[in-house]
Amino acid sequence: MRPFRFGAVLREAESGRAWADKARRLEESGFGLLLVPDHLAGDRLAPIPALTAAACATERLRVGTLVLANDFRHPAVLAKEAATLDLLSGGRLEVGLGTGWMAADYAGAGLPLDPPGVRVERLAEAIAVLKGLWADGPCHFTGRHYRIDGLDQRPRPVQRPHPPLIVGGGGPRVLRLAAEQADHVNLTMRVRPDGTGPDPGDGGAEAFLARLRRVRAAAGDRYDRLELGTSVLQVGERKAEEPWSAARSAALDGTPQVLLGTRHDIADTLRHWRDEHDVSCFVIHHERDLAAFTPVAEELAGR
């Protein structure tokens, strides 16, 4: 049984000092992981410089991405940046990867949004390239989307054989890839193929449990080495106004992505999902919920 681990997604700050203060407050309040998303549209900090600043402002806090859009950067570039950040942070980096999905990002940047199967195939190749470049010696890889001809990068990551790899998603192909290749699987709802948002038809407790079963079956002998986690989108009480649709809100009821009730209710819910279903890492998706969730994190972190 894995100990509980808690993270939070942070997106913005008005200055470097304010960002550093956020990171230090997180480190002091039961959270072990600061995560930054990766979208081109909207008011968000870029992940790599933001994580570097957060790592420099803290001593124990781990930093990571939830998740990098694979289509936005070549894996050889990412391998170099990630190894450098792992070195500069003293081995505190976690690399979260996804296919990329949000149509607004692609349309605004003039990038083609390929069908989901193509994006998953490209992500699988990117993971192979990353692991090859983080290993010892030159990397050779030939695939449909990438080719690496004897590239030998320095520095190597501090964490060996590589920083923990998080793969997030909800579709069957992504979950199978995560189960086979990742160290951590972040379970979400399936996204619509056109990139307009999560599919409300993929919600509810049974759909969440089905994703867990799919991961277990695909992982095989490596299942016990996997950390399973999810993003928590609502904590404590229903909010009067939500930045996400009422349909999505209802679709998440009964899953660990919605944690309603008192502090003790929430702690009991988390114990249930960890003890009965092996979900041990919970990431607060909205900063507005940090105050409500911090007492729970302080009670359960590491236990």
Side-chain angles (χ1 to χ4, degrees):
M1 186 179 297
R2 283 182 176 269
F4 283 111
R5 201 161 69 112
F6 301 109
V9 172
L10 301 183
R11 295 172 176 81
E12 56 184 316
E14 62 271 19
S15 67
R17 177 174 294 179
W19 181 251
D21 287 344
K22 282 188 176 186
R24 283 191 285 264
R25 285 197 299 271
L26 200 66
E27 183 176 49
E28 294 165 0
S29 57
F31 290 85
L33 181 60
L34 184 158
L35 294 156
V36 176
D38 187 24
H39 290 290
L40 302 178
D43 190 4
R44 301 174 177 89
L45 297 177
I48 299 300
L51 294 179
T52 303
C56 289
T58 57
E59 296 181 358
R60 305 177 308 279
L61 188 68
R62 296 185 66 80
V63 298
T65 51
L66 197 65
V67 288
L68 292 172
N70 180 59
D71 286 351
F72 295 169
R73 52 187 68 75
H74 193 283
V77 176
L78 176 58
K80 183 80 166 182
E81 291 182 341
T84 299
L85 180 47
D86 196 50
L87 173 68
L88 297 180
S89 67
R92 288 185 282 146
L93 176 65
E94 303 194 13
V95 180
L97 288 173
T99 61
W101 67 270
M102 196 165 81
D105 287 334
Y106 288 82
L111 297 171
L113 179 62
D114 290 325
V118 175
R119 284 180 276 140
V120 174
E121 181 184 69
R122 188 156 49 233
L123 176 61
E125 288 192 12
I127 290 172
V129 170
L130 289 170
K131 289 184 175 182
L133 289 170
W134 287 332
D136 295 326
C139 175
H140 298 270
F141 180 86
T142 300
R144 178 182 173 190
H145 303 281
Y146 304 111
R147 179 172 177 173
I148 306 295
D149 293 321
L151 185 59
D152 192 0
Q153 291 187 333
R154 298 290 192 282
R156 305 287 190 212
V158 172
Q159 300 176 90
R160 307 303 291 159
H162 53 74
L165 184 63
I166 303 169
V167 173
R173 286 171 292 197
V174 170
L175 290 177
R176 183 165 55 249
L177 175 64
E180 294 171 351
Q181 296 295 330
D183 302 290
H184 175 116
V185 182
N186 188 70
L187 297 133
T188 68
M189 291 172 66
R190 182 178 60 238
V191 175
R192 295 188 183 103
D194 64 0
T196 56
D199 180 359
D202 190 44
E206 182 50 42
F208 194 90
L209 292 171
R211 287 191 281 275
L212 289 171
R213 291 192 294 269
R214 186 172 288 117
V215 169
R216 178 186 284 273
D221 292 343
R222 70 189 306 269
Y223 178 79
D224 289 340
R225 303 198 300 274
L226 285 179
E227 180 182 53
L228 303 182
T230 194
S231 297
V232 178
L233 303 183
Q234 198 172 90
V235 175
E237 299 178 352
R238 292 280 188 204
K239 308 302 187 292
E241 297 180 2
E242 292 292 349
W244 38 300
S245 72
R248 186 181 180 196
S249 174
L252 294 173
D253 282 344
T255 77
Q257 293 188 272
V258 172
L259 300 174
L260 303 181
T262 67
R263 165 186 169 180
H264 298 297
D265 293 335
I266 293 171
D268 287 344
T269 299
L270 296 182
R271 291 187 186 98
H272 165 77
W273 282 101
R274 195 273 308 270
D275 297 351
E276 300 298 326
H277 302 292
D278 301 325
V279 183
S280 60
C281 184
F282 299 88
V283 175
I284 301 305
H285 190 70
H286 298 294
E287 286 188 55
R288 66 172 186 233
D289 288 327
L290 283 177
F293 192 79
T294 292
V296 181
E298 291 176 340
E299 176 184 349
L300 296 180
R303 299 188 179 184

